[in-house]
Coordinates of all heavy atoms in Angstrom, one line a residue:
M1 N 0.8 -1.2 0.0 CA 0.0 0.0 0.0 C 0.9 1.3 0.0 O 1.9 1.3 0.7 CB -0.9 0.0 1.2 CG -1.9 1.1 1.2 SD -3.1 1.0 2.6 CE -2.2 1.4 4.0
T2 N 0.5 2.2 -0.8 CA 1.3 3.5 -0.8 C 1.0 4.3 0.4 O -0.1 4.5 0.8 CB 0.9 4.2 -2.1 OG1 1.1 3.4 -3.2 CG2 1.8 5.5 -2.3
Q3 N 2.1 4.8 1.0 CA 1.9 5.7 2.1 C 1.7 7.2 1.7 O 2.5 7.7 0.9 CB 3.1 5.6 3.1 CG 2.9 6.2 4.4 CD 4.0 5.9 5.4 OE1 5.1 5.6 4.9 NE2 3.8 6.0 6.6
R4 N 0.7 7.8 2.2 CA 0.4 9.2 1.8 C 1.4 10.1 2.6 O 1.7 9.9 3.7 CB -1.0 9.6 2.2 CG -2.1 8.9 1.3 CD -3.5 9.4 1.6 NE -3.6 10.0 2.9 CZ -4.2 11.2 3.1 NH1 -4.7 11.9 2.1 NH2 -4.4 11.7 4.3
Y5 N 1.9 11.1 1.8 CA 2.9 12.0 2.4 C 2.3 12.7 3.7 O 3.0 12.9 4.7 CB 3.2 13.1 1.4 CG 4.3 14.1 1.8 CD1 5.6 13.7 1.9 CD2 3.9 15.4 2.2 CE1 6.6 14.6 2.3 CE2 4.9 16.3 2.6 CZ 6.2 15.9 2.7 OH 7.1 16.8 3.1
A6 N 1.0 13.0 3.7 CA 0.4 13.7 4.8 C 0.4 12.9 6.0 O 0.2 13.4 7.2 CB -1.1 14.1 4.4
D7 N 0.5 11.5 5.9 CA 0.4 10.6 7.0 C 1.8 10.4 7.7 O 1.9 9.8 8.7 CB -0.1 9.3 6.6 CG -1.6 9.4 6.1 OD1 -2.2 10.3 6.6 OD2 -2.0 8.5 5.3
L8 N 2.8 11.0 7.0 CA 4.2 10.8 7.6 C 4.5 11.7 8.7 O 4.1 12.9 8.7 CB 5.2 11.0 6.4 CG 5.3 10.0 5.3 CD1 6.2 10.5 4.2 CD2 5.7 8.6 5.8
A9 N 5.2 11.2 9.7 CA 5.6 12.1 10.8 C 6.7 13.0 10.3 O 7.4 12.7 9.3 CB 6.2 11.2 12.0
F10 N 7.0 14.1 11.0 CA 7.9 15.1 10.5 C 9.3 14.5 10.3 O 10.0 14.7 9.3 CB 8.0 16.3 11.5 CG 9.0 17.3 11.2 CD1 8.7 18.3 10.2 CD2 10.2 17.4 11.8 CE1 9.6 19.2 9.8 CE2 11.2 18.4 11.4 CZ 10.9 19.3 10.4
D11 N 9.7 13.7 11.3 CA 11.1 13.1 11.2 C 11.2 12.2 9.9 O 12.2 12.1 9.3 CB 11.4 12.3 12.4 CG 11.7 13.2 13.6 OD1 11.9 14.4 13.4 OD2 11.8 12.7 14.8
D12 N 10.1 11.5 9.6 CA 10.1 10.6 8.5 C 10.1 11.4 7.2 O 10.7 11.1 6.2 CB 8.9 9.7 8.5 CG 9.0 8.7 9.6 OD1 10.1 8.3 10.0 OD2 7.9 8.2 10.1
R13 N 9.4 12.6 7.2 CA 9.5 13.5 6.0 C 10.9 14.0 5.8 O 11.4 14.0 4.7 CB 8.5 14.7 6.2 CG 7.1 14.3 6.3 CD 6.3 15.6 6.4 NE 4.9 15.2 6.6 CZ 3.9 16.1 6.5 NH1 4.1 17.3 6.2 NH2 2.6 15.7 6.8
M14 N 11.5 14.4 6.9 CA 12.9 15.0 6.8 C 13.9 13.9 6.3 O 14.9 14.3 5.7 CB 13.3 15.6 8.1 CG 12.5 16.8 8.5 SD 12.4 18.1 7.2 CE 14.1 18.6 7.1
A15 N 13.6 12.7 6.7 CA 14.5 11.6 6.2 C 14.4 11.4 4.7 O 15.3 10.8 4.2 CB 14.1 10.3 6.9
R16 N 13.4 12.0 4.1 CA 13.3 11.9 2.6 C 13.8 13.1 1.9 O 13.6 13.3 0.7 CB 11.9 11.7 2.2 CG 11.3 10.3 2.8 CD 9.9 10.2 2.6 NE 9.4 9.0 3.2 CZ 8.7 8.1 2.6 NH1 8.3 8.2 1.4 NH2 8.3 7.0 3.3
V17 N 14.5 14.0 2.6 CA 15.0 15.2 2.0 C 16.6 15.1 2.0 O 17.2 14.8 3.0 CB 14.6 16.4 2.9 CG1 15.3 17.7 2.3 CG2 13.1 16.6 2.8
D18 N 17.1 15.4 0.8 CA 18.6 15.6 0.7 C 18.9 17.0 0.6 O 18.2 17.8 -0.1 CB 19.0 14.9 -0.6 CG 19.4 13.4 -0.4 OD1 19.4 13.0 0.8 OD2 19.6 12.7 -1.4
F19 N 20.0 17.5 1.2 CA 20.5 18.8 1.0 C 21.9 18.7 0.3 O 22.8 18.2 0.9 CB 20.6 19.6 2.3 CG 19.3 19.9 3.0 CD1 18.9 19.0 4.0 CD2 18.5 20.9 2.6 CE1 17.7 19.3 4.7 CE2 17.3 21.2 3.2 CZ 16.9 20.4 4.2
R20 N 21.9 19.1 -0.9 CA 23.2 19.0 -1.6 C 23.7 20.5 -1.7 O 23.1 21.3 -2.5 CB 23.0 18.4 -3.0 CG 22.5 16.9 -2.9 CD 22.2 16.3 -4.2 NE 21.6 15.0 -4.0 CZ 20.9 14.3 -4.9 NH1 20.7 14.9 -6.1 NH2 20.4 13.1 -4.6
V21 N 24.7 20.7 -1.0 CA 25.1 22.1 -0.8 C 25.9 22.6 -2.0 O 26.9 22.0 -2.4 CB 26.0 22.3 0.4 CG1 26.4 23.7 0.6 CG2 25.2 21.8 1.7
A22 N 25.3 23.6 -2.7 CA 25.9 24.2 -3.9 C 27.1 25.0 -3.5 O 27.1 25.6 -2.4 CB 24.9 25.0 -4.7
T23 N 28.1 25.1 -4.4 CA 29.3 26.0 -4.1 C 28.9 27.4 -3.9 O 29.3 28.1 -3.0 CB 30.3 25.8 -5.2 OG1 30.5 24.5 -5.4 CG2 31.6 26.5 -4.8
N24 N 28.0 27.9 -4.8 CA 27.5 29.3 -4.7 C 26.2 29.4 -4.0 O 25.3 28.6 -4.2 CB 27.4 29.8 -6.1 CG 28.7 29.8 -6.9 OD1 29.8 30.1 -6.3 ND2 28.6 29.4 -8.1
A25 N 26.1 30.3 -3.0 CA 24.9 30.5 -2.3 C 23.8 30.9 -3.1 O 23.9 31.8 -4.0 CB 25.1 31.5 -1.1
H26 N 22.6 30.3 -3.0 CA 21.4 30.7 -3.8 C 20.7 31.9 -3.1 O 19.9 32.6 -3.8 CB 20.5 29.6 -4.1 CG 19.8 29.0 -2.8 ND1 20.5 28.3 -1.9 CD2 18.6 29.1 -2.3 CE1 19.7 28.0 -0.9 NE2 18.5 28.5 -1.1
I27 N 21.0 32.1 -1.9 CA 20.5 33.3 -1.2 C 21.7 34.1 -0.6 O 22.5 33.5 0.1 CB 19.5 32.9 0.0 CG1 18.3 32.3 -0.6 CG2 19.1 34.2 0.8 CD1 17.3 31.8 0.5
V28 N 21.7 35.3 -0.9 CA 22.8 36.2 -0.3 C 22.1 37.3 0.4 O 21.2 37.9 -0.1 CB 23.7 36.7 -1.4 CG1 24.7 37.7 -0.8 CG2 24.4 35.6 -2.2
V29 N 22.5 37.5 1.7 CA 21.9 38.5 2.5 C 22.9 39.7 2.7 O 24.0 39.4 3.1 CB 21.5 37.9 3.9 CG1 20.8 39.0 4.7 CG2 20.5 36.7 3.7
D30 N 22.4 40.9 2.4 CA 23.2 42.1 2.7 C 23.0 42.4 4.2 O 22.1 43.1 4.5 CB 22.7 43.2 1.8 CG 23.6 44.4 1.9 OD1 24.3 44.5 2.9 OD2 23.5 45.3 1.1
T31 N 23.9 41.9 5.0 CA 23.8 42.1 6.4 C 24.0 43.5 6.9 O 23.6 43.9 8.0 CB 24.8 41.2 7.2 OG1 26.1 41.4 6.7 CG2 24.4 39.7 7.0
D32 N 24.5 44.4 6.0 CA 24.6 45.8 6.4 C 23.2 46.4 6.4 O 22.9 47.2 7.3 CB 25.4 46.6 5.3 CG 26.9 46.3 5.5 OD1 27.3 45.9 6.6 OD2 27.6 46.5 4.5
V33 N 22.3 45.9 5.5 CA 20.9 46.4 5.6 C 20.2 45.8 6.8 O 19.4 46.5 7.5 CB 20.2 45.9 4.3 CG1 18.7 46.3 4.3 CG2 20.8 46.5 3.0
C34 N 20.5 44.6 7.2 CA 19.9 43.9 8.3 C 20.1 44.7 9.6 O 19.3 44.7 10.5 CB 20.4 42.5 8.5 SG 20.0 41.5 7.1
R35 N 21.2 45.4 9.7 CA 21.6 46.0 10.9 C 20.6 47.1 11.3 O 20.4 47.4 12.5 CB 23.0 46.7 10.8 CG 23.9 46.4 11.9 CD 25.4 46.8 11.5 NE 26.1 45.8 10.8 CZ 26.5 44.7 11.3 NH1 26.3 44.4 12.6 NH2 27.2 43.8 10.6
S36 N 20.0 47.7 10.3 CA 19.0 48.8 10.6 C 17.5 48.3 10.5 O 16.6 49.1 10.6 CB 19.2 50.0 9.7 OG 19.0 49.5 8.3
C37 N 17.4 47.0 10.3 CA 16.0 46.4 10.2 C 15.4 46.2 11.6 O 16.1 45.6 12.5 CB 16.1 45.0 9.5 SG 14.6 44.1 9.5
T38 N 14.3 46.7 11.9 CA 13.7 46.7 13.2 C 12.8 45.4 13.5 O 12.6 45.1 14.6 CB 12.8 47.9 13.5 OG1 11.8 48.0 12.4 CG2 13.6 49.2 13.5
T39 N 12.3 44.8 12.4 CA 11.4 43.6 12.6 C 12.2 42.3 12.7 O 11.7 41.4 13.4 CB 10.4 43.5 11.5 OG1 11.1 43.2 10.3 CG2 9.6 44.8 11.3
K40 N 13.3 42.2 12.0 CA 14.0 40.9 11.9 C 13.0 39.8 11.5 O 13.0 38.7 12.1 CB 14.7 40.5 13.2 CG 15.8 41.6 13.5 CD 17.0 41.5 12.6 CE 18.2 42.3 13.2 NZ 18.1 43.8 13.1
A41 N 12.0 40.1 10.6 CA 11.0 39.1 10.3 C 11.5 37.8 9.8 O 10.9 36.7 10.1 CB 10.1 39.7 9.2
C42 N 12.6 37.7 9.2 CA 13.2 36.5 8.7 C 13.5 35.5 9.8 O 13.4 34.3 9.7 CB 14.5 36.8 7.9 SG 15.7 37.7 8.9
V43 N 13.9 36.1 11.0 CA 14.3 35.2 12.1 C 13.1 34.4 12.5 O 13.2 33.2 12.9 CB 14.8 36.1 13.3 CG1 15.0 35.2 14.5 CG2 16.1 36.8 12.9
H44 N 11.9 35.0 12.5 CA 10.7 34.3 13.0 C 10.0 33.5 11.9 O 9.4 32.5 12.2 CB 9.7 35.4 13.5 CG 10.3 36.3 14.5 ND1 10.6 35.9 15.8 CD2 10.7 37.6 14.4 CE1 11.2 36.9 16.4 NE2 11.2 38.0 15.6
A45 N 10.3 33.9 10.7 CA 9.5 33.2 9.6 C 10.3 32.0 9.0 O 9.6 31.1 8.4 CB 9.2 34.2 8.5
C46 N 11.6 32.0 9.0 CA 12.3 30.9 8.3 C 12.0 29.6 9.0 O 12.4 29.4 10.2 CB 13.8 31.2 8.3 SG 14.8 29.8 7.7
P47 N 11.5 28.6 8.4 CA 11.2 27.3 9.0 C 12.4 26.5 9.3 O 12.3 25.6 10.1 CB 10.3 26.6 8.0 CG 10.7 27.2 6.7 CD 11.0 28.6 7.0
A48 N 13.5 26.9 8.8 CA 14.8 26.1 9.0 C 15.7 26.8 10.0 O 16.8 26.4 10.3 CB 15.5 25.9 7.7
N49 N 15.2 28.0 10.5 CA 16.0 28.7 11.5 C 17.4 29.1 11.0 O 18.4 28.9 11.7 CB 16.1 28.0 12.9 CG 14.8 27.8 13.5 OD1 13.9 28.7 13.5 ND2 14.5 26.7 14.1
L50 N 17.4 29.6 9.8 CA 18.7 29.9 9.2 C 19.2 31.3 9.4 O 20.3 31.7 9.1 CB 18.7 29.6 7.7 CG 18.4 28.1 7.4 CD1 18.4 27.9 5.9 CD2 19.4 27.2 8.1
F51 N 18.3 32.2 9.9 CA 18.6 33.6 10.2 C 18.8 33.7 11.8 O 17.9 33.4 12.5 CB 17.5 34.5 9.8 CG 17.4 34.6 8.3 CD1 16.7 33.6 7.6 CD2 18.0 35.6 7.6 CE1 16.5 33.7 6.2 CE2 17.9 35.7 6.2 CZ 17.1 34.8 5.5
V52 N 20.0 34.1 12.2 CA 20.3 34.1 13.6 C 20.7 35.6 14.0 O 21.6 36.1 13.4 CB 21.4 33.2 14.0 CG1 21.7 33.3 15.5 CG2 21.0 31.7 13.6
P53 N 19.9 36.2 14.9 CA 20.3 37.6 15.3 C 21.6 37.6 16.1 O 21.8 36.7 16.9 CB 19.1 38.0 16.1 CG 18.4 36.8 16.5 CD 18.7 35.7 15.6
T54 N 22.4 38.6 15.9 CA 23.7 38.7 16.6 C 23.6 39.8 17.6 O 22.7 40.6 17.6 CB 24.9 39.0 15.6 OG1 24.6 40.2 14.9 CG2 25.1 37.9 14.6
D55 N 24.5 39.7 18.6 CA 24.4 40.7 19.7 C 24.5 42.1 19.3 O 24.0 43.0 20.0 CB 25.5 40.4 20.8 CG 25.2 39.1 21.5 OD1 24.1 38.6 21.5 OD2 26.2 38.5 22.1
D56 N 25.2 42.4 18.2 CA 25.4 43.8 17.7 C 24.3 44.2 16.8 O 24.4 45.2 16.1 CB 26.7 43.9 17.0 CG 26.8 43.0 15.7 OD1 25.8 42.3 15.4 OD2 27.8 43.1 15.0
G57 N 23.1 43.5 16.8 CA 22.0 44.0 16.0 C 22.0 43.5 14.5 O 21.1 43.8 13.8
G58 N 22.9 42.7 14.2 CA 23.0 42.1 12.8 C 22.4 40.8 12.7 O 21.6 40.3 13.6
I59 N 22.7 40.2 11.6 CA 22.1 38.9 11.2 C 23.2 38.0 10.7 O 24.1 38.4 10.0 CB 21.0 39.0 10.1 CG1 19.7 39.5 10.7 CG2 20.8 37.7 9.4 CD1 18.9 38.5 11.5
L60 N 23.2 36.7 11.2 CA 24.1 35.7 10.7 C 23.2 34.8 9.8 O 22.2 34.3 10.3 CB 24.7 34.9 11.9 CG 25.9 34.1 11.7 CD1 27.1 34.9 11.1 CD2 26.3 33.4 13.0
F61 N 23.6 34.5 8.6 CA 22.8 33.7 7.7 C 23.6 32.6 7.1 O 24.7 32.8 6.8 CB 22.2 34.5 6.6 CG 21.5 33.7 5.6 CD1 20.2 33.1 5.9 CD2 22.0 33.4 4.3 CE1 19.6 32.3 5.0 CE2 21.3 32.7 3.4 CZ 20.1 32.1 3.7
N62 N 23.0 31.4 7.1 CA 23.7 30.2 6.5 C 22.7 29.6 5.5 O 21.6 29.2 5.8 CB 24.0 29.2 7.6 CG 24.7 28.0 7.1 OD1 25.0 27.9 5.9 ND2 24.9 27.0 7.9
Y63 N 23.1 29.5 4.2 CA 22.2 29.0 3.2 C 22.1 27.5 3.1 O 21.2 26.9 2.5 CB 22.6 29.5 1.8 CG 23.8 28.9 1.2 CD1 23.8 27.9 0.3 CD2 25.1 29.4 1.6 CE1 24.9 27.3 -0.2 CE2 26.3 28.9 1.0 CZ 26.2 27.8 0.1 OH 27.3 27.3 -0.4
E64 N 23.0 26.8 3.9 CA 22.9 25.3 3.9 C 21.7 24.9 4.6 O 21.2 25.5 5.6 CB 24.2 24.7 4.6 CG 25.5 25.0 3.9 CD 26.7 24.5 4.7 OE1 26.5 23.7 5.7 OE2 27.8 24.9 4.4
Q65 N 21.1 23.8 4.1 CA 19.8 23.2 4.6 C 18.6 24.2 4.4 O 17.6 24.1 5.2 CB 19.9 22.8 6.1 CG 21.0 21.8 6.2 CD 20.9 20.9 7.4 OE1 20.2 21.2 8.4 NE2 21.5 19.7 7.4
C66 N 18.7 25.1 3.5 CA 17.6 25.9 3.1 C 16.5 25.1 2.4 O 16.9 24.3 1.5 CB 18.1 27.1 2.3 SG 16.8 28.0 1.4
F67 N 15.3 25.3 2.7 CA 14.2 24.5 2.1 C 13.8 25.1 0.7 O 12.9 24.6 0.0 CB 12.9 24.5 2.9 CG 13.1 23.8 4.3 CD1 12.4 24.3 5.4 CD2 13.9 22.7 4.4 CE1 12.6 23.6 6.6 CE2 14.1 22.1 5.6 CZ 13.4 22.6 6.7
E68 N 14.3 26.3 0.4 CA 14.0 27.1 -0.8 C 12.5 27.4 -0.9 O 11.9 27.4 -1.9 CB 14.4 26.3 -2.1 CG 15.9 26.0 -2.1 CD 16.3 24.9 -3.1 OE1 15.6 24.7 -4.1 OE2 17.3 24.3 -2.9
C69 N 11.9 27.7 0.3 CA 10.5 28.0 0.3 C 10.2 29.4 -0.1 O 9.1 29.7 -0.4 CB 9.9 27.7 1.7 SG 10.6 28.8 3.0
G70 N 11.2 30.3 0.0 CA 11.0 31.7 -0.4 C 10.3 32.6 0.7 O 10.1 33.8 0.4
T71 N 10.1 32.1 1.9 CA 9.4 32.9 2.9 C 10.3 34.1 3.3 O 9.7 35.2 3.4 CB 9.2 32.0 4.1 OG1 8.5 30.8 3.8 CG2 8.4 32.8 5.2
C72 N 11.5 33.9 3.5 CA 12.4 35.0 3.9 C 12.3 36.1 2.8 O 12.3 37.3 3.2 CB 13.8 34.6 4.1 SG 14.6 33.8 2.6
Y73 N 12.3 35.8 1.6 CA 12.3 36.8 0.5 C 11.0 37.6 0.5 O 11.0 38.8 0.3 CB 12.4 36.0 -0.8 CG 12.7 36.9 -2.0 CD1 13.9 37.5 -2.2 CD2 11.7 37.1 -3.0 CE1 14.1 38.3 -3.3 CE2 11.9 37.9 -4.1 CZ 13.1 38.5 -4.2 OH 13.3 39.3 -5.3
L74 N 9.9 36.9 0.9 CA 8.6 37.5 0.9 C 8.4 38.4 2.2 O 7.8 39.5 2.1 CB 7.4 36.5 0.9 CG 7.3 35.7 -0.4 CD1 6.2 34.6 -0.2 CD2 6.9 36.6 -1.5
V75 N 8.9 38.0 3.3 CA 8.7 38.8 4.5 C 9.7 39.8 4.8 O 9.6 40.7 5.7 CB 8.6 37.9 5.8 CG1 7.5 36.8 5.6 CG2 9.9 37.2 6.1
C76 N 10.8 39.8 4.1 CA 11.9 40.7 4.4 C 11.5 42.2 4.3 O 10.9 42.6 3.3 CB 13.1 40.5 3.4 SG 14.5 41.6 3.6
D77 N 11.8 42.9 5.3 CA 11.4 44.3 5.4 C 12.5 45.2 4.8 O 12.4 46.4 4.8 CB 11.1 44.7 6.8 CG 9.8 44.2 7.3 OD1 9.0 43.9 6.4 OD2 9.6 44.1 8.5
G78 N 13.6 44.6 4.4 CA 14.8 45.4 4.1 C 15.0 45.7 2.7 O 16.1 45.9 2.2
G79 N 13.9 45.9 1.9 CA 14.1 46.2 0.5 C 14.9 45.2 -0.2 O 14.4 44.1 -0.4
N80 N 16.1 45.5 -0.6 CA 16.9 44.6 -1.4 C 17.9 43.8 -0.5 O 19.0 43.4 -1.0 CB 17.6 45.3 -2.5 CG 16.7 46.0 -3.5 OD1 15.7 45.4 -3.8 ND2 17.0 47.2 -3.9
A81 N 17.6 43.5 0.7 CA 18.5 42.9 1.6 C 18.8 41.4 1.1 O 19.9 40.9 1.3 CB 18.0 42.8 3.0
I82 N 17.8 40.8 0.5 CA 18.0 39.4 0.1 C 18.1 39.3 -1.4 O 17.2 39.8 -2.1 CB 16.8 38.5 0.6 CG1 16.8 38.5 2.1 CG2 16.9 37.1 0.0 CD1 15.7 37.7 2.7
S83 N 19.1 38.7 -1.9 CA 19.3 38.4 -3.3 C 19.1 36.9 -3.5 O 19.6 36.1 -2.7 CB 20.7 38.7 -3.9 OG 20.9 40.1 -3.6
W84 N 18.3 36.5 -4.5 CA 17.9 35.1 -4.7 C 18.2 34.6 -6.1 O 17.9 35.3 -7.0 CB 16.4 35.0 -4.4 CG 15.8 33.6 -4.6 CD1 15.7 32.9 -5.7 CD2 15.3 32.8 -3.5 NE1 15.1 31.7 -5.5 CE2 14.9 31.6 -4.1 CE3 15.2 32.9 -2.1 CZ2 14.3 30.5 -3.4 CZ3 14.6 31.9 -1.4 CH2 14.2 30.7 -2.0
S85 N 18.8 33.4 -6.1 CA 18.9 32.7 -7.4 C 18.9 31.2 -7.1 O 19.5 30.8 -6.2 CB 20.2 33.1 -8.2 OG 21.3 32.8 -7.3
Y86 N 18.1 30.5 -7.9 CA 17.9 29.1 -7.6 C 19.3 28.4 -7.8 O 20.0 28.7 -8.7 CB 16.9 28.4 -8.5 CG 15.5 28.7 -8.0 CD1 14.7 29.7 -8.6 CD2 15.0 28.1 -6.9 CE1 13.4 30.0 -8.2 CE2 13.7 28.3 -6.4 CZ 12.9 29.3 -7.1 OH 11.7 29.6 -6.6
P87 N 19.5 27.3 -7.0 CA 20.8 26.5 -7.2 C 20.8 25.9 -8.6 O 19.7 25.6 -9.2 CB 20.8 25.5 -6.1 CG 19.7 25.9 -5.2 CD 18.7 26.8 -5.9
D88 N 21.9 25.5 -9.1 CA 22.0 24.7 -10.3 C 21.3 23.4 -10.1 O 21.2 22.9 -9.0 CB 23.5 24.5 -10.7 CG 24.2 25.8 -11.1 OD1 23.4 26.7 -11.5 OD2 25.4 25.9 -11.0
G89 N 20.9 22.7 -11.2 CA 20.2 21.4 -11.1 C 21.0 20.4 -10.3 O 22.3 20.4 -10.5
G90 N 20.3 19.7 -9.5 CA 21.0 18.7 -8.7 C 21.6 19.2 -7.4 O 22.1 18.4 -6.5
Q91 N 21.5 20.5 -7.2 CA 22.0 21.1 -5.9 C 20.8 21.6 -5.1 O 19.7 21.7 -5.6 CB 23.0 22.3 -6.3 CG 24.1 21.9 -7.2 CD 25.0 20.9 -6.5 OE1 25.4 21.0 -5.4 NE2 25.5 20.0 -7.3
G92 N 21.1 22.0 -3.9 CA 20.0 22.6 -3.1 C 19.2 21.5 -2.4 O 19.7 20.4 -2.1
V93 N 17.9 21.7 -2.2 CA 17.1 20.7 -1.6 C 16.5 19.8 -2.6 O 16.0 20.2 -3.6 CB 15.9 21.4 -0.7 CG1 15.0 22.2 -1.6 CG2 15.2 20.4 0.1
V94 N 16.5 18.5 -2.3 CA 16.0 17.4 -3.2 C 15.1 16.5 -2.4 O 15.5 16.0 -1.4 CB 17.2 16.6 -3.8 CG1 16.7 15.6 -4.8 CG2 18.2 17.6 -4.6
F95 N 13.9 16.3 -2.9 CA 13.0 15.4 -2.3 C 13.1 14.0 -2.9 O 13.0 13.9 -4.1 CB 11.5 15.9 -2.4 CG 11.3 17.2 -1.6 CD1 11.4 18.4 -2.3 CD2 11.1 17.2 -0.3 CE1 11.2 19.6 -1.6 CE2 10.9 18.4 0.4 CZ 11.0 19.6 -0.3
R96 N 13.2 13.0 -2.1 CA 13.3 11.7 -2.6 C 12.0 10.9 -2.4 O 11.3 11.2 -1.4 CB 14.4 10.9 -1.8 CG 15.8 11.4 -2.1 CD 16.9 10.6 -1.4 NE 16.9 10.9 0.0 CZ 16.6 10.0 1.0 NH1 16.2 8.8 0.7 NH2 16.7 10.4 2.3
H97 N 11.6 10.1 -3.3 CA 10.4 9.3 -3.1 C 10.8 7.8 -2.7 O 11.7 7.3 -3.2 CB 9.6 9.3 -4.5 CG 9.2 10.6 -4.9 ND1 8.1 11.2 -4.4 CD2 9.8 11.5 -5.7 CE1 7.9 12.4 -4.9 NE2 9.0 12.6 -5.8
G98 N 9.9 7.2 -1.9 CA 10.1 5.8 -1.6 C 11.2 5.6 -0.6 O 11.8 6.5 -0.1
Ligands
SF4_101 S1 14.0 30.1 1.6 FE1 12.8 29.4 3.4 S2 14.2 27.9 4.4 FE2 15.4 29.1 3.0 S3 16.3 30.7 4.2 FE3 14.4 31.5 3.3 S4 12.8 31.1 4.8 FE4 14.6 29.9 5.3
SF4_102 S1 13.9 40.9 7.4 FE1 15.4 41.3 5.7 S2 16.4 43.2 6.3 FE2 15.4 42.4 8.1 S3 17.0 41.2 9.2 FE3 15.8 39.8 7.9 S4 16.9 39.7 5.9 FE4 17.7 41.5 7.1

């Protein structure tokens, strides 16, 4: 019997995800802009917790294990703080079946 994706527990879903880290980051954050951002919306919105506030008011960002969901790009209050380009084929997040 085929198992429905919706019936899988979170850990089982994550076990079906590969992260193939591309050499070039598909998301680049201009952390100079982040320093004057008052909401830090990305910190709360990123489901992978990849935006980490620093003690000096800035942001530390790591593109590895990014789900490529685009949430940070949508909620960012900093104008052009986030630059986005999809990874090359075979890189980034890959969902495996079975
Ligand atoms: S695309 Fe999604 S997972 Fe990746 S950094 Fe942005 S919010 Fe986080
Ligand atoms: S919301 Fe945008 S500008 Fe603000 S901290 Fe996050 S990435 Fe930087």
